[in-house]
Each structure stands twice: as C-alpha cells, then as structure tokens.
Amino acid sequence: MCSACSKKGRTSCVYSERRDAASNAIEFLELLKSLPEDRSLELLKSLREKGDASFVLSEFKGAPVAPDRVHPDIESELKAKYSNAYPVLETIVPSVLAASDLLRSDLNALSNGENARPDMNQSQVGRSNEDRNTATPIDTDSVVSHFRSHTPAGHESDYFDERFRHLRIGFWTDIEITNEFAAQIISLYLRTDHPLLGLFDPYLFVADLVDQKNDFCSRFLVHSLMYLGCQMYSAFDKSAGKIAQDFSQEAEKLWESEKMHGSYLTMAGAVLLSLSLMGNGKDHAVLAYAKEAAEIGIRLGLFEDKASGTRIEVDQSEEKKTASCYAAWGAFNWKTLISLFYRQPGSGGPMILPKVPIPGDRSSHTPDDGSTPETTSSAGEILLGKTFPALCNFWRIIHGALWIYYPGPDSPPDRFRLDIAENKFRELITWTGFLPSFMLRRKDSPHHVAVFHIWFHAAVLDIFRPFIQRPAEKRPRLKTFSAWDSTPDAVFSASVNQLKRLIIDYRTNYETSAYSILWHTGLLYLANAMLENSEDPETRLYFLLCVYGYERLKRPYRISRVIVQGLLSMMLRDTDMSGEEARKILGDLGDDRWDQVTKQVEEKIRATFMVDLNLAAKDPERAMVENMAEEFEGMALLQDFLNRDKMEM
C-alpha cells in the first residue's frame, strides 16, 4: 500500500485523480498537444508571464474556446487521457467483417475440409506459445484446428511443468485414466484458466500433486480441477466429455465430507466446481458452491468479518500463508464476478473483502502485522504472471460498485447514484494508468490479458447501464469530463466499441476461444449492446459475431446452445430477423456426432443467470437464459407470420 493511503487509515489503495500541480501539468501538456499551434504558443507565453499553471488553466477555460478544439467527444477524451483502457482502435471495415469466417459456422467449414482458414487478418495473429499447445492431439472435427495447419506426428507431450513426467494420478483418483492424460488435462487448465482464477499457488500444488502430499493438494481439488479440465479438453478430444462426468460425480461425493472441515484447498475446489457446473448447464448449484467457498474463508479468518472472531494462525509457514492468500482472493474474485456478470436470483450481492494480502502484489499488506508473505520462490509469480494480482485489484474496485445491482441500507440515495457511479468509473480508469506494461493490450498479449480487458469493458457497461437509453433531452451529464457529449450513453458506446475490437481479436487470435468459458461475458454483453439500438446497420454483424463465438464453445460447454437460443429469441423480438434464419443459425449449433456423446449424460440444462441484461432490471425471471430460450419457437413462428403478412400486402 502507498504511504498516502496508509496515513488515511485505508486497508487498500484508492485510485483517485489528484487535483494538484502534477495534475495541472498533465492537463497543460494535453492542451499543448491538442490545440492548434498558434493557441499552444499563446498558452505557453501566458504561463511564462504568470508562472501559475492553475491560474492559466482557469483563465483559459473561461475563454470562448469551442469544446471540440480540445476533445471532440468523450471517446476521444478517454483515448487521450486513459489510453491503457481506451487505446486507439484499428478501423473495422463492416464489409470485411461481413465477408470473414467469423460470421459463419466453424463446423460447416471443417466439414468441407477448410482447416486453419483466416478470420479477419491471419497475419496479425499474435498468440503466445502458451496459447499454441501444438502437441495436444486434436480430433479432425475439432474447431481448435481452426488455429492449426497440422498436428505434429509423434510429438512429445507438451506439459506445463516438467515434474508432470513423474505424475502418478492413481494416487489421487480411482477413475481409470492414464498419467499422460491427467498431465495434459492439468496442464491445459494451468495454462488457460488458472491465471484468471488464481485459486492456489501452482508451484506448491504441482509439487504436492507429484510428490503425493496433502498440504497443498487434495483428492477433492484434483477431481474438481479434472472436471473443469476435461470439459476444456473435450474441445480437442470429444471422448473427454464422458470422463468429465465421472469426475463431476466423484467431486460432488467428496464435497460432502470436505465441506465439514473446510480448508484452503476446499475453497479452491468449490470455486472450480461452481465454474464447471455453470458451463455444463447445472446452474442450480453454481451459487451454492461459490457461497460455501466464501463461508469457509470466513470461518478460516480470511475475510473482514466482525461477527466471526476467527484469526489466521500466526505461526503459519510462509507457504501456508501464500496458499491462504490465493484461496481468499480467488474465492472473492469469483463471487464478485458472478454477482456482477450473472446476477442470478440469490447470488447475495457483495461479500466482505479479504483481509490477507493479494499474492504477488507488493503494494498490499496484512492489517494485522503489515507484512506481505513471499510467494514460494519466484516460481508462483512466473506461472501466474502479473495478471492475477491486477485482477484482484480490479475486482476489489468493482466490489465497491455492486450496490448498483444489489441495493441495501448503505446504498446512496437515488439523486446521488449517477455521481457515485461516475466516481467509481473515474477510480477504475485512473487505476489502469498504474497497470504494469505486461497488462496492456498488444498483438502478442497472453490470452488472460485479453480476457481482463474484456471483463473491464463489460464492467463499465454495467456501471452505466442503469443510466442510459433515456430521451435525449433528459440524458444526465457526467460532471468530471470536458467533452460536449459527456453522458453515460457516450461512455457506454465507447466501451462497446472497445468490446467489438476485443471480441474480433480474441476470436481471430486465440485458440482458447474454443475451450475456455471465462471470456464469454464479452459475447453476451456485446450481443446485448447491439440490440440496444436494433436499427444500427451493424447490429446484425456483431450479433452474429457473438453467436458464432458461442458455437465455438458448444462442444466443451453445453450451456452455449441455450445462451444462443435465448439471444436469438431477443433478436427475433427486437429486429426483423426471420424465423427461418434464426432456426438455421440454431441448427449450426447442432452437431449429431457430439450429440451422440452427450446423450449419455443428457438432462435438463439449467441456466438461471441473466441473458437479457435490460429486461433483468424489470423482470428478472423472464430475463433468465433458460426462460428466454424457451420463447424461441414462439418468437420464430410470430416472425414468420409477420413476414408472410408483409409479403401478401
């Protein structure tokens, strides 16, 4: 924590803009760069004569200068002042997007033998080595082959950690799988979702997994991880889908005994089980496991709960302290994520903050003793990168905005809601100025950095969603921006534009788009945003971009088809899409070869989170994925009837 926040008695840093000389200097430089040359010279001359930047700025702002001489609109202002969050974007040509393979079925193309085809611009593909695990065997009909021209024959297994060569998985499970298969599954998870979830120290976990110790590994954690990992791996090898169900059943059996004497490992396993069940369409249990993980953390003294007098054991080893930090922040992040992005009935809204340091974040400290536990050597940080510490700070800031969707006794009065939301947005974009260079968007960024930016802009949409779509004359203005169009709608639009580019890039450049469910929030939020203005000529383009993004996820995650069905119901309701076209799109998500595998575990898919994000505020029951999906056929028939009437007129 910085000294300024420490002196103010805070337990974590608050990112606010300073209204002092440094801030004035930055604003002065921005003006010099953006004004015409003659005005810049006048401004410099005035500063030399008066010597007070604050006075000169106040004088300048009082002069009759047209607003567009500085920032023509708020999107330009955000790009100029907060480029880490709002970088200048490459132009997306609608005709190029319309002709690209991003707007058609991957499986249809694969059936025609069109592997490894380009999307928007293959020359700009920037996958890091971790996203190109070319040693993993792939089914011939796997959409992952979209990213690969061939699979090396006889290539040695590409494990995440060399210690996996000594893994004996039979110690941890009675399910019959090979050591090599288990190593591939765990490697895939550690490379893909773990940098975003960070539920345990990967170095300590792998050490105990291989050495058959129970300090930082457990049967429950292994089965929960294997359940999620097998779902992911089924994108490569469809037979892994059946094995996933075996691990699911065993993990839920182990949970019954584990939850009674909860540990850091139990917390981690519960979160993994929560995510796995969501992707598999067993949504009724997602919240239960997320809540249980948080409650275990409270009992272990990891959260700021005054009611629970529990304190962390002071004589813990540094390794145990590290494990506690990962478990606490991993559970907190997941609970905050589902509270904001899913808003399921009973999600409970805000939870209390962890009172342990963020692992790998040198600015955090423990309130009790002021020290930060070191991670086990630097290996834990190397395996997780800098993404997880940044995400912990991100979710901590977002946690302070959950009152928008979960009003309580401490929520602000209605007349102050927008001002406080704007202040939270200010804190968020100011914080991005402190991000390490690793976390900035580049063509060669790891997939988890791209997902962070997707989450960031989805969160911005949620911050301003309650304040948009009002008549032009009644649109409220934001008070701390200078652009002429400083409104919630304009900021919302700026983040939608960022999401458009992020989704195109992610689908084009990262094979993780075919086997990790964590980025799908971007698809859901962009599809909803495009339907906000159904008369926009680009609505159809970006809606299909999102729908076929879900198609890529359909083999590992049963929930994908139901989400698409719900989105198509909304498209039929809000646009002139025909029922015939909607059925064709939905048909693209039907794969008989995969359906034959899943029939063995078929049951009603439960999806109680929100798919219609606007309707959610008025009618959350109807806005649920499963309920909106059930309206599809009725909407399709109605649209066919209306179209037939038009043709007869």
Side-chain angles (χ1 to χ4, degrees), residues 50 73 99 110 164 178 214 276 314 383 388 497 515 550:
K50 299 179 173 67
D73 53 48
L110 286 170
F164 280 134
T178 65
N214 289 285
S276 304
V314 295
L383 297 179
F388 184 64
N497 289 336
Y515 53 83
Y550 275 114

Short mmCIF file of all heavy atoms in Angstrom, two decimals, residues 50 73 99 110 164 178 214 276 314 383 388 497 515 550:
data_model
loop_
_atom_site.label_atom_id
_atom_site.label_comp_id
_atom_site.label_asym_id
_atom_site.label_seq_id
_atom_site.Cartn_x
_atom_site.Cartn_y
_atom_site.Cartn_z
N LYS A 50 2.78 34.54 -16.27
CA LYS A 50 2.06 34.48 -14.99
C LYS A 50 2.67 33.48 -14.03
O LYS A 50 2.52 33.61 -12.82
CB LYS A 50 0.58 34.15 -15.24
CG LYS A 50 -0.11 35.22 -16.09
CD LYS A 50 -1.54 34.86 -16.34
CE LYS A 50 -2.27 36.01 -17.04
NZ LYS A 50 -1.79 36.25 -18.41
N ASP A 73 -15.22 14.61 -28.59
CA ASP A 73 -16.24 13.80 -27.92
C ASP A 73 -15.58 13.05 -26.78
O ASP A 73 -14.35 13.04 -26.64
CB ASP A 73 -16.91 12.83 -28.89
CG ASP A 73 -15.91 11.99 -29.66
OD1 ASP A 73 -14.99 11.43 -29.02
OD2 ASP A 73 -16.02 11.90 -30.89
N ALA A 99 -17.69 -10.44 -44.68
CA ALA A 99 -17.19 -11.49 -45.57
C ALA A 99 -16.27 -12.48 -44.86
O ALA A 99 -15.85 -13.47 -45.45
CB ALA A 99 -16.44 -10.84 -46.74
N LEU A 110 -15.32 -26.84 -41.44
CA LEU A 110 -14.48 -28.01 -41.20
C LEU A 110 -14.98 -29.22 -41.97
O LEU A 110 -14.20 -30.03 -42.46
CB LEU A 110 -14.44 -28.32 -39.70
CG LEU A 110 -13.60 -27.37 -38.84
CD1 LEU A 110 -13.84 -27.64 -37.37
CD2 LEU A 110 -12.12 -27.51 -39.17
N PHE A 164 5.48 -33.06 -14.23
CA PHE A 164 4.35 -33.92 -14.59
C PHE A 164 4.79 -35.25 -15.18
O PHE A 164 4.00 -36.20 -15.24
CB PHE A 164 3.44 -33.21 -15.59
CG PHE A 164 2.50 -32.21 -14.95
CD1 PHE A 164 2.34 -30.95 -15.49
CD2 PHE A 164 1.78 -32.54 -13.82
CE1 PHE A 164 1.47 -30.03 -14.91
CE2 PHE A 164 0.92 -31.64 -13.23
CZ PHE A 164 0.77 -30.37 -13.78
N THR A 178 -4.96 -42.44 -17.83
CA THR A 178 -3.51 -42.57 -17.85
C THR A 178 -2.86 -41.36 -17.20
O THR A 178 -3.45 -40.28 -17.11
CB THR A 178 -2.99 -42.69 -19.29
OG1 THR A 178 -3.25 -41.45 -19.99
CG2 THR A 178 -3.67 -43.85 -20.03
N ASN A 214 -0.38 -33.99 0.96
CA ASN A 214 -1.71 -33.41 1.14
C ASN A 214 -1.71 -32.00 1.71
O ASN A 214 -2.76 -31.49 2.09
CB ASN A 214 -2.55 -34.31 2.05
CG ASN A 214 -2.94 -35.60 1.35
OD1 ASN A 214 -3.82 -35.61 0.50
ND2 ASN A 214 -2.27 -36.68 1.71
N SER A 276 -17.40 -25.17 -13.26
CA SER A 276 -17.64 -26.35 -14.09
C SER A 276 -19.12 -26.62 -14.26
O SER A 276 -19.58 -26.94 -15.36
CB SER A 276 -16.96 -27.58 -13.47
OG SER A 276 -15.58 -27.35 -13.27
N VAL A 314 -1.10 -17.48 13.61
CA VAL A 314 0.08 -16.61 13.48
C VAL A 314 1.35 -17.39 13.21
O VAL A 314 2.34 -16.85 12.73
CB VAL A 314 0.26 -15.75 14.75
CG1 VAL A 314 -0.91 -14.79 14.90
CG2 VAL A 314 0.37 -16.64 16.00
N LEU A 383 4.56 -18.54 -13.00
CA LEU A 383 3.47 -19.35 -13.55
C LEU A 383 2.18 -18.55 -13.69
O LEU A 383 1.42 -18.76 -14.62
CB LEU A 383 3.24 -20.59 -12.67
CG LEU A 383 4.41 -21.57 -12.57
CD1 LEU A 383 4.05 -22.73 -11.66
CD2 LEU A 383 4.81 -22.10 -13.93
N PHE A 388 -3.01 -12.13 -12.26
CA PHE A 388 -3.87 -12.36 -11.11
C PHE A 388 -3.82 -11.22 -10.10
O PHE A 388 -4.89 -10.78 -9.62
CB PHE A 388 -3.53 -13.69 -10.44
CG PHE A 388 -4.45 -14.04 -9.31
CD1 PHE A 388 -5.80 -14.26 -9.53
CD2 PHE A 388 -3.98 -14.12 -8.01
CE1 PHE A 388 -6.67 -14.56 -8.48
CE2 PHE A 388 -4.82 -14.43 -6.96
CZ PHE A 388 -6.17 -14.64 -7.20
N ASN A 497 -17.47 -0.04 -28.35
CA ASN A 497 -16.52 -0.03 -29.47
C ASN A 497 -15.25 -0.79 -29.12
O ASN A 497 -14.68 -1.48 -29.97
CB ASN A 497 -16.19 1.41 -29.86
CG ASN A 497 -17.35 2.09 -30.55
OD1 ASN A 497 -18.22 1.43 -31.13
ND2 ASN A 497 -17.40 3.42 -30.50
N TYR A 515 -12.11 -23.22 -25.98
CA TYR A 515 -12.19 -24.15 -24.85
C TYR A 515 -12.18 -23.50 -23.46
O TYR A 515 -12.19 -24.21 -22.46
CB TYR A 515 -11.10 -25.22 -24.93
CG TYR A 515 -9.68 -24.73 -25.09
CD1 TYR A 515 -8.91 -24.33 -24.00
CD2 TYR A 515 -9.07 -24.71 -26.34
CE1 TYR A 515 -7.61 -23.92 -24.15
CE2 TYR A 515 -7.75 -24.31 -26.50
CZ TYR A 515 -7.02 -23.91 -25.41
OH TYR A 515 -5.72 -23.50 -25.57
N TYR A 550 -20.12 -18.32 -29.60
CA TYR A 550 -20.69 -19.35 -28.73
C TYR A 550 -20.66 -20.72 -29.41
O TYR A 550 -20.48 -21.74 -28.75
CB TYR A 550 -22.12 -19.01 -28.34
CG TYR A 550 -22.22 -18.09 -27.15
CD1 TYR A 550 -22.72 -16.80 -27.27
CD2 TYR A 550 -21.80 -18.51 -25.89
CE1 TYR A 550 -22.82 -15.95 -26.17
CE2 TYR A 550 -21.88 -17.68 -24.79
CZ TYR A 550 -22.39 -16.40 -24.93
OH TYR A 550 -22.47 -15.57 -23.84
#
